[in-house]
Amino acid sequence: MADPGTAPTLRSTLDQPTPPDAPTGSPAAPTKASAAPRSALKSVAMPSEHGGWGLTTEPVLLGLLVQPSIAGLCLGLAAVLAFLARTPLKVVLVDTKRGRSLDRTRLARTVLVVEVGLIAALAAVAVLTAGWGFWWPLAIAAPLVLVELSYDMRSRSRRLIPELAGAVGIGGVVALIVLAGGANTRLAIALWLILAARAITAIVTVRGQVMVLHGRTPSPGHSIAADLVAIALAAGAVAVSSPVLAGAFAVAAAVAVQRLLARVAPADRAVVLGIRQMALGITVVVITAIGVLVAT
């Protein structure tokens, strides 16, 4: 992916003068001109990290399945908007750090303001319907998200540390949602641990498999360490709240399936890795939710 601080935008291309010998009135010219603004908006508004969609929607889905509520729905929508807002925020941070203000920067700032406004409105509805008792997970998640943003500002968001910090931080949304719906603190913590376990093993596994696709050799120690951490977190979740036992087994099964697929059916494209991880993530979420609902 091109660095957002250096890649030219279609908007900047349109700002260039038309060459004297450029054809006019051709059918292709209006098509490009009309498509450019949409492409410019997409470049500052739509995330390029496709795996981030799954890591964002999993805690939202799990929270709403376990403890549905109006406040929880608002928080889930706010979480999705926050994930979207990271893209224009990254553009603004990078360009500000480099001391420049481009057309793209101003467009990103506008998109960011709109999305932040919507997030604030959804948060206000959540507070009005559920009170203030569900906000404490933000105190834990906020530093993790700030770590990710600090790497975003330096155009290093693809490193392992920010990916793990951001994924574990956004997993805290499940705690917010179930607390807003009236669940107890122990269950909220346990669900967050289940998703943290799932995210850690998934991210490290995918990074290693992507390296293989690019002809490099990943360190097997990283994958083993991530799997052990995931299993330990899943076991800790059960110790905190036993209704998540099914979810802990689902995490262990996901670890085993990842290992098996890497050996017997290695993916030949990144999109295949994404589909597999999406399926594993949804499976962990559904099994965890069913286990909690049955146990409680």
Side-chain angles (χ1 to χ4, degrees), residues 25-223:
S26 65
T31 301
K32 293 181 179 179
S34 61
R38 291 194 296 272
S39 298
L41 178 61
K42 182 178 179 180
S43 70
V44 301
M46 293 301 295
S48 59
E49 302 91 342
H50 301 298
W53 284 105
L55 293 173
T56 301
T57 55
E58 285 171 21
V60 174
L61 178 60
L62 179 56
L64 292 176
L65 286 175
V66 170
Q67 201 75 35
S69 67
I70 296 298
L73 178 60
C74 289
L75 292 172
L77 292 173
V80 174
L81 279 172
F83 170 64
L84 292 173
R86 178 178 166 235
T87 298
L89 177 60
K90 187 191 306 185
V91 173
V92 172
L93 289 175
V94 170
D95 286 353
T96 300
K97 185 175 185 294
R98 295 181 179 180
R100 62 192 183 188
S101 181
L102 309 174
D103 288 341
R104 180 198 60 185
T105 316
R106 292 184 284 274
L107 180 59
R109 190 178 294 117
T110 300
V111 172
L112 180 61
V113 168
V114 171
E115 290 176 338
V116 169
L118 292 173
I119 291 170
L122 289 167
V125 174
V127 170
L128 289 174
T129 56
W132 291 92
F134 59 86
W135 286 106
W136 64 261
L138 286 179
I140 302 173
L144 297 173
V145 174
L146 288 175
V147 167
E148 184 181 33
L149 290 177
S150 70
Y151 278 82
D152 284 347
M153 184 182 296
R154 294 173 287 164
S155 300
R156 295 179 179 176
S157 57
R158 298 290 186 174
R159 304 289 179 89
L160 178 59
I161 290 177
E163 285 191 352
L164 289 176
V168 174
I170 197 65
V173 170
V174 69
L176 287 171
I177 291 175
V178 298
L179 287 171
N184 63 72
T185 299
R186 295 175 69 89
L187 179 59
I189 294 172
L191 290 172
W192 191 351
L193 289 174
I194 290 293
L195 291 184
R198 145 75 189 152
I200 289 171
T201 183
I203 288 173
V204 176
T205 295
V206 169
R207 287 176 64 90
Q209 292 176 344
V210 168
M211 289 180 66
V212 172
L213 291 177
H214 291 167
R216 292 178 288 170
T217 303
S219 170
H222 292 169
S223 180

Side-chain angles (χ1 to χ4, degrees), residues 253-278:
V255 170
V257 169
Q258 289 176 161
R259 290 278 185 167
L260 181 62
L261 288 175
R263 286 180 177 274
V264 304
D268 58 352
R269 292 178 297 163
V271 66
V272 175
L273 291 175
I275 293 172
R276 287 177 176 178
Q277 285 300 326
M278 181 179 297

